[in-house]
């Protein structure tokens, strides 16, 4: 029997967002690879999933991958999950997928939760063309990245942590202009979900005086350009 690697999205907050198919795959596989076994344990228990769970994160993925490939070649069905959302989207997964493909092992990614999609759709910014940047460089290459994004005419999406949010918004205002329209979402699908829309300066002001907690998704309008208008706006005209 051929082995197979499944990439299984998990809820980013609300457990009701888990799909029936994801639960079935996790119950049927031989073992589960989790970014943090302590984080995944309550979720797996909630859905009655009792399987062997091994840690697979950014610090051990290169070392562990050869062993995982061996298991897959022996015919095992293995599921990879991250702490929240879809594996390999700003989370471990890419390296394992690439190695599985190199070894002619079947890879199947299930559709499911990903934080940037609801944040983009909910932002009110053009969603027909966008670029996803994940997390910005903390030090090396950060200034170069801002200069490059200043010329981007598509909607820009990125993730940010609470302790760097204000600095990032300030830098975007510096490089893209204080009046550039944006949207910041936090705690998506959770009890205290919040989306703040406005200019970069307005949003920064809001979070200077309010809660800085949870994971943040920042969406920023692209550089104004007549040729890059939303196709739906063109249709209305």
């Amino acid at each position: 029997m051929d082995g197979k690697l499944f990439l299984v999205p998990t809820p980013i907050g609300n457990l009701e967002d888990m799909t029936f198919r994801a639960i079935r795959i996790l119950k049927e596989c031989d073992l589960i690879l989790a970014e943090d076994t302590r984080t995944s344990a309550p979720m797996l228990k909630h859905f009655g999933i009792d399987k062997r769970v091994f840690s697979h994160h950014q610090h051990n993925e290169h070392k562990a991958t050869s062993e995982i490939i061996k298991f897959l070649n022996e015919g095992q069905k293995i599921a990879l999950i991250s702490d929240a959302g879809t594996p390999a989207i700003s989370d471990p997964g890419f390296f394992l997928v690439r190695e599985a493909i190199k070894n002619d092992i079947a890879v199947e990614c299930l559709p499911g939760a990903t934080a940037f999609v609801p944040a983009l759709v909910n932002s009110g910014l053009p969603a027909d063309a966008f670029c996803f940047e994940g997390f910005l460089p903390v030090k090396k290459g950060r200034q170069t990245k801002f200069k490059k994004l200043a010329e981007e005419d598509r909607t820009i999406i990125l993730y940010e942590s609470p302790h760097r949010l204000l600095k990032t918004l300030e830098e975007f205002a510096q490089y893209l202009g204080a009046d550039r329209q944006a949207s910041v979402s936090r705690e998506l699908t959770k009890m205290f979900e919040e989306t703040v829309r406005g200019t970069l300066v307005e949003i920064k002001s809001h979070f200077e005086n309010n809660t800085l907690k949870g994971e943040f998704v920042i969406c920023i309008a692209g550089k104004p350009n007549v040729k890059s208008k939303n196709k739906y706006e063109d249709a209305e005209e």
Side-chain angles (χ1 to χ4, degrees), residues 131-146:
C131 66
F132 174 67
E133 294 292 327
F135 287 95
L136 294 175
V138 177
K139 294 180 180 179
K140 186 178 180 180
R142 188 174 176 90
Q143 185 178 27
T144 300
K145 177 64 72 172
F146 277 112

Side-chain angles (χ1 to χ4, degrees), residues 58 133-146 158-165 167-168 171-172 175:
Q58 63 177 342
E133 294 292 327
F135 287 95
L136 294 175
V138 177
K139 294 180 180 179
K140 186 178 180 180
R142 188 174 176 90
Q143 185 178 27
T144 300
K145 177 64 72 172
F146 277 112
L158 61 140
Y159 293 155
E160 192 52 277
S161 62
H163 66 278
R164 278 199 297 266
L165 178 70
K167 176 184 177 182
T168 296
E171 288 174 303
F172 268 117
Y175 285 94

Side-chain angles (χ1 to χ4, degrees), residues 204-217:
K204 179 175 180 289
S205 176
H206 170 85
F207 284 110
E208 283 175 334
N209 300 290
N210 288 276
T211 303
L212 279 174
K213 183 179 179 180
E215 295 298 323
F216 290 80
V217 185

Side-chain angles (χ1 to χ4, degrees), residues 11-148:
I12 59 175
N14 194 323
L15 290 177
E16 292 180 1
D17 293 333
M18 190 72 162
T19 68
F20 293 118
R21 184 179 169 207
I23 296 172
R24 177 179 63 80
I25 293 296
L26 291 176
K27 286 183 175 181
E28 292 178 353
C29 68
D30 296 298
L31 64 91
I32 297 171
L33 304 174
E35 186 177 1
D36 187 331
T37 56
R38 295 166 300 179
T39 301
S40 60
M43 184 272 295
L44 295 173
K45 182 178 180 180
H46 177 84
F47 292 111
I49 299 166
D50 184 17
K51 289 288 179 178
R52 291 183 296 160
V53 181
F54 293 107
S55 179
H56 184 79
H57 49 74
Q58 63 177 342
H59 302 296
N60 77 347
E61 62 177 335
H62 285 71
K63 182 178 180 180
T65 292
S66 59
E67 189 72 11
I68 297 167
I69 294 298
K70 177 184 175 183
F71 290 153
L72 290 165
N73 279 323
E74 291 173 350
Q76 294 197 39
K77 302 293 190 292
I78 299 178
L80 173 66
I81 62 175
S82 65
D83 286 348
T86 301
I89 301 296
S90 290
D91 278 317
F94 160 72
F95 183 74
L96 177 57
V97 170
R98 186 180 66 182
E99 293 305 302
I101 293 170
K102 284 182 180 179
N103 284 271
D104 295 321
I105 295 168
V107 178
E108 184 173 337
C109 182
L110 280 62
T114 302
F116 79 80
V117 174
L120 169 63
V121 175
N122 197 33
S123 70
L125 299 173
D128 58 320
F130 58 88
C131 66
F132 174 67
E133 294 292 327
F135 287 95
L136 294 175
V138 177
K139 294 180 180 179
K140 186 178 180 180
R142 188 174 176 90
Q143 185 178 27
T144 300
K145 177 64 72 172
F146 277 112
K147 290 179 179 179
K148 181 178 179 181

